[in-house]
């Protein structure tokens, strides 16, 4: 019943933009923090961004600061990741993940309870 589903990935040229969407169902979305992670073959899963359940707290990985923006609409059980000025190194499968909004280390993927299947983002000329 618990489900997270990512969408919005695709092929984009360097410098372009994409908007990823994570839609949730089957749990009390408003009580959970949401994060985006990404992964390429041979690399560890990398934390991209985080948003708290309701107070607006956000975090970003160093490599995406100033280019990506995370937001959420609890009424729609949805989180967005606006990605601008995309670089080839942004290529990967992007996953959204959820966990109860209590004290934790946001960029540690093992902290999260629920995961989507991911959406592929490819940045290439």
């Amino acid at each position: 019943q618990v489900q997270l589903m990512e969408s919005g990935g695709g092929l984009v040229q360097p410098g372009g933009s994409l908007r990823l969407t994570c839609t949730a169902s089957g749990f009390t979305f408003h009580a959970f923090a949401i994060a985006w992670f990404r992964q390429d073959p041979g690399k560890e899963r990398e934390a991209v961004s985080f948003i708290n359940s309701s107070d607006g707290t956000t975090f970003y990985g160093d490599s995406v600061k100033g280019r990506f923006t995370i937001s959420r609409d609890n009424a729609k059980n949805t989180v967005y990741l606006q990605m601008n000025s995309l670089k080839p190194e942004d290529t990967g499968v992007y996953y959204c993940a959820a966990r109860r909004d209590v004290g934790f280390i946001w960029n540690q993927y093992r902290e999260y309870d629920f995961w989507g299947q991911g959406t592929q983002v490819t940045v290439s000329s």
Side-chain angles (χ1 to χ4, degrees):
Q1 186 177 8
V2 173
Q3 186 178 60
L4 293 168
M5 183 174 293
E6 304 91 341
S7 62
L11 176 64
V12 64
Q13 294 181 344
S17 298
L18 287 172
R19 188 193 195 195
L20 304 185
T21 298
C22 174
T23 301
S25 62
F27 62 98
T28 51
F29 179 81
H30 67 273
F32 281 72
I34 305 293
W36 289 94
F37 290 79
R38 67 188 182 191
Q39 189 167 222
D40 260 346
K43 297 180 180 180
E44 289 191 13
R45 190 167 299 183
E46 177 187 16
V48 176
S49 190
F50 162 92
I51 188 164
N52 212 338
S53 60
S54 61
D55 68 2
T57 299
T58 59
F59 295 108
Y60 297 91
D62 288 342
S63 65
V64 307
K65 288 179 180 177
R67 300 187 297 119
F68 291 11
T69 302
I70 190 170
S71 61
R72 70 189 292 161
D73 185 342
N74 285 342
K76 297 181 179 179
N77 286 4
T78 300
V79 170
Y80 305 97
L81 184 68
Q82 180 67 46
M83 305 187 296
N84 298 326
S85 302
L86 284 162
K87 305 174 181 179
E89 52 263 43
D90 294 318
T91 295
V93 178
Y94 283 68
Y95 303 89
C96 62
R99 64 154 288 149
R100 297 183 187 276
D101 195 6
V102 296
F104 67 99
I105 303 172
W106 78 272
N107 62 354
Q108 299 298 116
Y109 73 87
R110 297 186 186 276
E111 298 271 18
Y112 290 81
D113 301 307
F114 308 125
W115 290 84
Q117 293 298 306
T119 184
Q120 177 68 45
V121 171
T122 302
V123 186
S124 176
S125 61

